[in-house]
Amino acid sequence: MWVIDPIDGTANFVRGIPAWCVVIACARDGETILGVIHEASTDETFYARRGGGAFLNGKPIKASNAASLSDGAVGTGLSNRASTTNVVILIGLIMGEGGVFYRNASGALMLAYAAAGRLLGYLEEHMNAWDCLAGMLLVEEAGGTVLKADPKTVIGKGTRVVAGGRGIFPRLQLLGESSFGFTR
């Protein structure tokens, strides 16, 4: 099944803000096997194939090896299917540990940045499949870790997203649990 978002970051696109991208994923039985995120304003193409690594314009990328939130920024997103209060809690927890939060209104692009090590990771309480499948595969193939989506429901209902470098992922998962009220 092809899962496509022709413009992730639509609000940015219509206002001339360059943080938007085209997202394409291919899933088989609910598992993503191919993902591409193209950021037109920078001419950067992030892509991954399950078991084949992650790349940016032909060069391999690696998720961050940081172990502390003070080592960089964490991407955060907000869905209209989630409580704004929960994101405020998340941002407070990140900042309370000396971290920085980053939001550019394109969850797919922030997942690509996490795969490339530009961000420590990314958290969002709810993302639609077309916004997150490609980016989650990128993070995994770049050596990072993601909270596994339910392959039976992710296409139709979306998923909670926690993704980042292996060293920081356990901390990101705890922040997600504290902010979004889920358990492992």
Side-chain angles (χ1 to χ4, degrees):
M1 174 178 287
W2 291 96
V3 184
I4 300 169
D5 188 349
I7 301 178
D8 183 49
T10 307
N12 291 339
F13 176 78
V14 299
R15 291 172 180 84
I17 298 170
W20 61 274
C21 59
V22 177
V23 186
I24 302 171
C26 182
R28 182 182 303 137
D29 299 323
E31 179 181 55
T32 309
I33 56 173
L34 178 72
V36 179
I37 297 174
H38 178 69
E39 184 178 13
S41 65
T42 61
D43 199 27
E44 290 187 321
T45 303
F46 302 83
Y47 57 94
R49 180 178 47 85
R50 182 151 310 278
F55 302 87
L56 168 55
N57 291 346
K59 297 180 181 170
I61 56 176
K62 295 286 293 170
S64 172
N65 63 2
S68 170
L69 290 175
S70 63
D71 291 337
V74 176
T76 60
L78 176 62
S79 166
N80 61 3
R81 294 187 187 186
S83 169
T84 304
T85 302
N86 294 346
V87 174
V88 172
I89 292 168
L90 173 64
I91 290 169
L93 291 171
I94 291 168
M95 294 177 69
E97 292 190 29
V100 174
F101 75 94
Y102 176 80
R103 176 160 160 69
N104 71 2
S106 171
L109 198 51
M110 288 186 283
L111 279 165
Y113 290 173
R118 295 174 182 175
L119 293 174
L120 300 177
Y122 182 76
L123 291 96
E124 187 165 339
E125 188 170 1
H126 179 272
M127 288 184 84
N128 293 313
W130 51 87
D131 291 329
C132 68
L133 291 183
M136 290 170 68
L137 177 64
L138 279 162
V139 171
E140 284 184 291
E141 290 298 319
T145 304
V146 301
L147 184 66
K148 294 290 185 184
D150 182 343
K152 294 181 189 100
T153 61
V154 67
I155 301 292
K157 295 184 179 182
T159 190
R160 181 172 290 119
V161 175
V162 179
R166 290 180 197 257
I168 200 73
F169 180 81
R171 190 69 201 135
L172 296 176
Q173 190 171 19
L174 286 172
L175 292 176
E177 291 170 4
S178 298
S179 305
F180 306 149
F182 67 88
T183 58
R184 292 175 218 209

